[in-house]
Amino acid sequence: PGSEWIAASSYGGKGGIRIINVPDKKSTLAYPTDPAKERLDKKTYDTCPGPPTPDDKAAFTTHGIALREGRNSLHTLYTVHHGKRESIEVFELDAKAKPPALTWIGCAVAPDPIGLNEVVPLPDGGFIGTDFLARGDAGARAKMSAGEVNGALWEWHTGKGWQMIPGSEASGANGLEISKDGK
């Protein structure tokens, strides 16, 4: 926030998370890198099996992305990951570094058949993700195109895991925003 940098997801090619310098329009791969900075916060991400595997990093396809502003230029970055695991991958973003640096700190693997699309952090440390298109359902896209309910919003918290938000069912749940107070 308030800097010349933007964090961006990458859904195509080899994927990844990129840091873009706005004035010079230079893009730098921030994750995965070799070696990647990784430090699992097992207390917060209690069900995370660990960092993405090397073959998952080779095509680290990312989608929705969101930032929780922190203190002392240390922020938390969340991104939807489509790979061997469908998950929200979580990073510490150090904005003091030039360019800002990422350290992978955890994940929340989505239950089958949820197909994540967007993520937004909650003030209490949890987050909400959209279930856009069920994985493994050959007819899911047709159902969505016909306006049939095919997804919902799912909330994740430490110690509780994923829970569907009642009344949030939708066709093609896509994009998500929340007020600063989280209500």
Side-chain angles (χ1 to χ4, degrees):
S3 76
E4 60 191 24
W5 303 98
I6 296 174
S9 61
S10 181
Y11 189 63
K14 292 187 177 190
I17 300 172
R18 304 197 67 86
I19 300 292
I20 302 167
N21 181 279
V22 176
D24 70 13
K25 299 174 179 63
K26 192 176 264 183
S27 174
T28 304
L29 181 65
Y31 188 90
T33 56
D34 190 24
K37 295 180 188 176
E38 298 169 334
R39 181 185 72 247
L40 175 58
D41 175 356
K42 193 66 174 171
K43 182 178 177 187
T44 302
Y45 305 101
D46 53 346
T47 60
C48 181
T53 60
D55 57 331
D56 214 5
K57 289 178 190 174
F60 193 72
T61 307
T62 55
H63 211 138
I65 192 168
L67 182 82
R68 174 184 291 137
E69 193 170 347
R71 296 180 190 177
N72 301 320
S73 298
L74 289 176
H75 310 292
T76 306
L77 186 74
Y78 303 82
T79 188
V80 171
H81 169 57
H82 304 296
K84 291 200 177 272
R85 63 185 183 201
E86 183 80 1
S87 56
I88 303 297
E89 300 292 333
V90 188
F91 299 84
E92 178 183 86
L93 186 146
D94 180 357
K96 290 179 268 182
K98 302 292 182 227
L102 293 180
T103 301
W104 178 92
I105 58 171
C107 69
V109 178
D112 283 330
I114 292 173
L116 297 166
N117 188 58
E118 184 59 87
V119 61
V120 65
L122 297 170
D124 64 4
F127 49 83
I128 297 173
T130 59
D131 178 11
F132 176 70
L133 197 62
R135 293 175 284 137
D137 180 353
R141 191 164 295 278
K143 290 176 193 170
M144 180 182 68
S145 295
E148 293 178 31
V149 170
N150 72 319
L153 300 180
W154 287 76
E155 190 168 346
W156 183 91
H157 288 278
T158 303
K160 295 179 183 174
W162 291 98
Q163 297 177 333
M164 189 184 86
I165 299 173
S168 69
E169 296 84 353
S171 176
N174 184 7
L176 191 58
E177 193 54 74
I178 195 164
S179 61
K180 281 192 180 259
D181 65 5
K183 295 182 181 175

